[in-house]
Amino acid sequence: MRRAITLLSASMIALSAGAASAQNAKPRNLILFVPDGLRGAIVTAETAPAMAEIRDKGVNFKNSHSLFPTFTMANSSALSTGHYLGDTGTFSNTIYTGYSSVPAGDTVVPFIENDAVLADVDDHFNGDYLNEETLLKMARGQGFSTAAIGKVGPTLLFDHTDRGKNTIVIDDSTGGKTGVPLSDEMKDALTKAGLPLATPSRGDNAKAGDAKTPGTTVANVNQQAYMADVATKVVLPMFKARNKPFVLVFWSRDPDGSQHNTGDSLNAITPGINGPTSMAGIKNADNNLAQLRKALGELGLADSTNIIVSSDHGFSTISKESKTSPSAKIAYDDTPKDFLPMGFLAIDLAKALNLPLYDPNDKNAKVADNAHPKAGNGVLGQDPAKPDVVIATNGGSDLIYLPNKDKKLADRIVKALLEQDYVSGLFVDDKLGKFAGTLPMSNLNLKGKAVTPNPSIVVNFRSWSSGCEIPTNCSVQIADTVLRQGQGMHGSFSRGDTFNFTAAIGPDFKSGYVDALPVSNADVGMTAAQLLGLRAPNNGGLIGRVMSEALPNGIVPKMADGTISSKPAANGLRTVLKFQRVLSTRYFDVAGFPGRTLGLEAEGGKQKTAGK
């Protein structure tokens, strides 16, 4: 049956491919615009008029999904390859690599939103850690002009092995020591346009504040204005002059950066990420998109260019409160009383397992009893060079690695985590066996052909709504991060984080069409490749589908809902996963312990699941 479904899915892709090619003998241009961290239901004619216009006049993908863990690099890998994380190995923003990355600060848990770190990880894993072809690499191989502009890390990922030799790359690091070099052609063009050869800093937008000092109160306007000017005054005119089709990825740091660092809600849940700073970040991204569309019109490229807008994930307000965590009962110099510190998961596990805790971001120094790891990450064991447990801290979910694949240790960890009120759902590597209260990672497409180490346990943190008309617009979550209660984070299995924004417009999309079918960022990657006539030599089989229903004369497949529940643990907790399915493709709505994840109601409850 599984084989029959897979074959049917493949045949539908082929049919939609034939329809597209018949309509479009010459490939169109494509712009993929990613407003980082834009919530699925936050866009209105007032908050983001340019995005609202694309949604309402083009295709409104009202049932859109980010991949879990709902982090930037994870979803950039999906957008750029069309594959799920089990194939790309980009399990979060911070991952365990199994070796110490020098550019990341000589640590085994590098934060990979960094051009130099990506190059280092590539070098370690046979020159291409993703192990799947990316959109821009395939496009330039077929003669397209290609460019990636925007936030450092996810921008480069779209053609990370090329490193600017053929694809134009402009990000935060451009002009700096770790930045991707500019070609002489780009240097000349930037100079003629009166634009600097180095990207401006974020300025005050980069200020995160601390427990006593609010973070930023301004959006990332200046840096993104530079990037939008590069795109509209240099790159698009250059591509038009070449007289061949192009692909441009524009990854807007806002609203993500302004929501993370917001100074509107210090140590308070409300307004959280619904204050003026976050809303200014949304408008900033929208202005960049409007500028791109205006330039397309002025250059005579609008009628031949498809535009897909897809945010990488939703967003939530941070909570740092727990009644069960031992770490919250310790006094720290930089953490308010009774609040969870950065690295609370590593601290609590070290105590539960009676293992020493070392800081992989501080030359493996032992963490003192009244301190926390500098970046939240931790290595546990008698010898930090040969750890028993590695914790990669990310935000709304954390990754736990067991280098020795110790099943008994995995059981002890699961039982310890089931006692914490901040946990809502556990997913365990299939190879470690089955554990009551948990689900296997294969259920989430986290087991595939990845070449990076597979996490042993993924820990999802508790989430809820602070109370508003659309719950996903005011999602709150426990987050393992340096950021403070009241600031913004993502990464959880809350519908507030999985519900991202997706819309499209252009000659190869329907007009005024509302798509009720579930779609994901992996589908966006597959559909973009389809529109460009590209065929990837897939190493892994965890791929999205072409969104055929959004294309003229495209097939509209049927969908179904599904639920998977674990066996209950001794304390009655069980991990529940709710998903939708189109043919063989699954779309993950929410998961966790019922009543502890936004969108996953308690038994007999009435909590809504948005986006359906």
Side-chain angles (χ1 to χ4, degrees):
M1 183 64 184
R2 171 74 180 182
R3 176 176 170 78
I5 292 174
T6 302
L7 289 174
L8 179 59
S9 178
S11 66
M12 289 188 64
I13 291 174
L15 284 170
S16 62
S21 62
Q23 298 167 34
N24 184 19
K26 181 182 178 181
R28 313 284 193 184
N29 308 312
L30 174 69
I31 291 180
L32 173 59
F33 185 90
V34 184
D36 198 308
L38 184 70
R39 287 162 279 172
I42 201 71
V43 172
T44 67
E46 291 71 39
T47 61
M51 286 184 251
E53 182 178 38
I54 289 177
R55 177 195 63 197
D56 298 339
K57 292 185 177 180
V59 179
N60 173 8
F61 296 99
K62 71 172 188 176
N63 191 1
S64 188
H65 293 72
S66 172
L67 302 192
F68 175 80
T70 48
F71 291 109
T72 295
M73 294 302 286
N75 280 276
S76 178
S77 76
L79 289 165
S80 61
T81 68
H83 284 256
Y84 284 77
L85 312 184
D87 283 345
T88 70
T90 313
F91 297 105
S92 287
N93 290 343
T94 300
I95 61 175
Y96 171 66
T97 52
Y99 78 97
S100 192
S101 173
V102 174
D106 199 15
T107 179
V108 295
V109 279
F111 179 69
I112 59 175
E113 279 188 19
N114 181 290
D115 293 341
V117 173
L118 284 176
D120 181 67
V121 177
D122 272 339
D123 288 345
H124 186 80
F125 292 102
N126 300 315
D128 184 355
Y129 93 91
L130 277 185
N131 201 35
E132 299 292 351
E133 296 282 36
T134 61
L135 185 68
L136 295 190
K137 181 179 180 180
M138 290 189 291
R140 64 176 168 81
Q142 294 300 314
F144 287 77
S145 293
T146 52
I149 301 172
K151 179 180 177 181
V152 64
T155 294
L156 178 60
L157 205 60
F158 280 82
D159 200 355
H160 58 112
T161 60
D162 180 63
R163 300 198 62 78
K165 296 182 180 68
N166 299 284
T167 292
I168 297 167
V169 176
I170 302 286
D171 62 19
D172 304 45
S173 300
T174 298
K177 292 181 180 179
T178 62
V180 175
L182 293 171
S183 67
D184 290 339
E185 179 186 25
M186 271 301 292
K187 290 178 181 178
D188 291 342
L190 288 169
T191 300
K192 289 178 181 177
L195 295 170
L197 303 184
T199 301
S201 73
R202 293 171 61 189
D204 285 348
N205 181 256
K207 294 180 179 179
D210 54 35
K212 298 180 180 179
T213 307
T216 189
T217 56
V218 296
N220 189 32
V221 175
N222 292 336
Q223 186 184 76
Q224 289 186 203
Y226 168 78
M227 292 176 174
D229 283 348
V230 171
T232 57
K233 297 177 182 180
V234 175
V235 174
L236 288 177
M238 181 185 293
F239 286 174
K240 177 180 173 63
R242 292 179 183 175
N243 195 31
K244 60 180 184 179
F246 66 82
V247 186
L248 168 65
V249 175
F250 192 99
W251 197 293
S252 168
R253 181 181 286 276
D254 262 341
D256 180 269
S258 296
Q259 292 172 165
H260 274 308
N261 288 352
T262 180
D264 299 334
S265 196
L266 183 62
N267 294 325
I269 298 299
T270 56
I273 57 169
N274 283 304
T277 302
S278 295
M279 302 312 291
I282 293 171
K283 192 60 167 62
N284 186 36
D286 196 70
N287 289 340
N288 293 157
L289 178 60
Q291 184 175 335
L292 285 170
R293 293 198 74 192
K294 183 173 184 290
L296 289 175
E298 292 173 345
L299 292 166
L301 297 170
D303 293 340
S304 60
T305 302
N306 292 302
I307 301 174
I308 302 176
V309 180
S310 187
S311 60
D312 49 343
H313 48 71
F315 232 85
S316 299
T317 298
I318 295 168
S319 170
K320 293 282 193 173
E321 299 178 41
S322 170
K323 295 180 180 179
T324 62
S325 171
S327 67
K329 298 175 174 61
I330 302 172
Y332 308 89
D333 292 339
D334 60 355
T335 303
K337 187 177 184 296
D338 298 327
F339 274 23
L340 291 164
M342 168 186 269
F344 61 81
L345 188 69
I347 296 169
D348 289 349
L349 279 182
K351 182 177 179 62
L353 301 174
N354 194 27
L355 288 173
L357 171 61
Y358 299 91
D359 190 343
N361 297 98
D362 189 21
K363 299 179 181 179
N364 283 339
K366 189 172 183 179
V367 179
D369 291 341
N370 62 341
H372 58 74
K374 287 186 174 181
N377 305 306
V379 293
L380 279 61
Q382 300 303 324
D383 182 356
K386 298 177 181 179
D388 296 315
V389 184
V390 178
I391 296 101
T393 295
N394 278 279
S397 59
D398 280 357
L399 306 178
I400 299 174
Y401 296 82
L402 303 179
N404 302 319
K405 312 300 180 186
D406 188 329
K407 295 181 180 181
K408 291 183 178 180
L409 182 58
D411 183 60
R412 293 176 61 200
I413 291 172
V414 166
K415 288 176 179 175
L417 292 172
L418 287 167
E419 296 300 319
Q420 294 301 330
D421 61 2
Y422 54 72
V423 174
S424 181
L426 296 169
F427 305 92
V428 181
D429 187 345
D430 301 53
K431 292 182 178 180
L432 290 171
K434 296 182 179 180
F435 301 86
T438 78
L439 287 175
M441 285 185 186
S442 57
N443 287 159
L444 308 180
N445 286 349
L446 293 178
K447 294 291 293 183
K449 297 293 186 180
V451 297
T452 59
N454 213 105
S456 299
I457 302 171
V458 179
V459 185
N460 180 53
F461 295 130
R462 183 168 64 96
S463 59
W464 64 95
S465 169
S466 64
C468 63
E469 184 177 355
I470 302 175
T472 56
N473 282 350
C474 56
S475 174
V476 181
Q477 67 185 221
I478 301 294
D480 200 355
T481 172
V482 69
L483 296 172
R484 307 296 167 171
Q485 179 157 299
Q487 295 186 304
M489 185 45 77
H490 48 90
S492 81
F493 229 139
S494 156
R495 190 60 178 132
D497 285 1
T498 66
F499 186 24
N500 63 326
F501 178 85
T502 305
I505 197 167
D508 293 321
F509 285 102
K510 291 178 179 177
S511 298
Y513 181 71
V514 179
D515 189 355
L517 294 182
V519 300
S520 78
N521 282 333
D523 294 354
V524 171
M526 289 294 290
T527 304
Q530 164 83 14
L531 294 175
L532 300 170
L534 305 175
R535 297 291 181 269
N538 300 319
N539 290 316
L542 301 176
I543 58 174
R545 67 177 179 92
V546 173
M547 302 182 294
S548 57
E549 70 276 10
L551 309 179
N553 303 316
I555 297 168
V556 181
K558 293 181 179 180
M559 62 163 286
D561 293 329
T563 301
I564 301 174
S565 298
S566 74
K567 292 182 178 180
N571 61 2
L573 293 176
R574 57 192 177 93
T575 298
V576 175
L577 169 66
K578 285 194 173 183
F579 64 93
Q580 300 170 69
R581 180 172 55 80
V582 175
L583 300 175
S584 61
T585 304
R586 284 183 177 181
Y587 300 87
F588 309 117
D589 294 335
V590 293
F593 302 147
R596 287 197 197 177
T597 292
L598 176 63
L600 186 64
E601 61 273 7
E603 299 296 334
K606 298 181 180 181
Q607 195 173 30
K608 294 180 180 179
T609 299
K612 288 191 178 183

